[in-house]
Amino acid sequence: MQADARAVDSKTKLTEQAVVAWIAARLVGSALRSTSGEVTPVSLTAALNGLRGVDLAGVVPPWTSQPLDNPSFRRVFNHYGVNYEISGGKAVRKGDFYDIAPIL
């Protein structure tokens, strides 16, 4: 992600907003590759809803747009978590991603 961002602007800061924008761009790019003809809101939505196992380089787990059975959280697609601990004023990752879908 950092290399992608710095290829556009070498002074890019890796903020939360930058990470979310990078993820969104990768998802839209993946969806666009599966569409044919004119891209419309309907065709892009269908392509986004059909994403399966999109590689997001470990920034977040592979993305699958698959609605959950829980009617309260049907649109929570990337239902993974990871714990962090603040150490020396910085967030330090504690462990790997885990699936939180069962508790949703």
Side-chain angles (χ1 to χ4, degrees), residues 27-99:
L27 296 174
V28 169
S30 292
L32 288 173
R33 284 191 288 282
S34 69
T35 60
S36 59
E38 182 179 354
V39 177
T40 66
V42 171
S43 68
L44 184 56
T45 298
L48 287 166
N49 285 337
L51 293 176
R52 300 290 184 267
V54 177
D55 179 15
L56 295 170
V59 174
V60 296
W63 182 278
T64 295
S65 297
Q66 186 173 359
L68 299 173
D69 292 334
N70 185 329
S72 299
F73 295 99
R74 292 197 56 76
R75 302 300 288 179
V76 178
F77 291 134
N78 203 37
H79 38 75
Y80 291 93
V82 66
N83 290 333
Y84 288 86
E85 174 181 273
I86 304 301
S87 178
K90 296 187 180 203
V92 178
R93 184 173 164 164
K94 294 295 194 182
D96 291 326
F97 293 104
Y98 54 92
D99 189 354

Side-chain angles (χ1 to χ4, degrees), residues 1-2 5 12-25 59:
M1 191 224 128
Q2 186 175 25
T12 296
K13 293 184 179 174
L14 299 180
T15 63
E16 181 179 346
Q17 293 83 0
V19 172
V20 170
W22 179 86
I23 292 168
V59 174

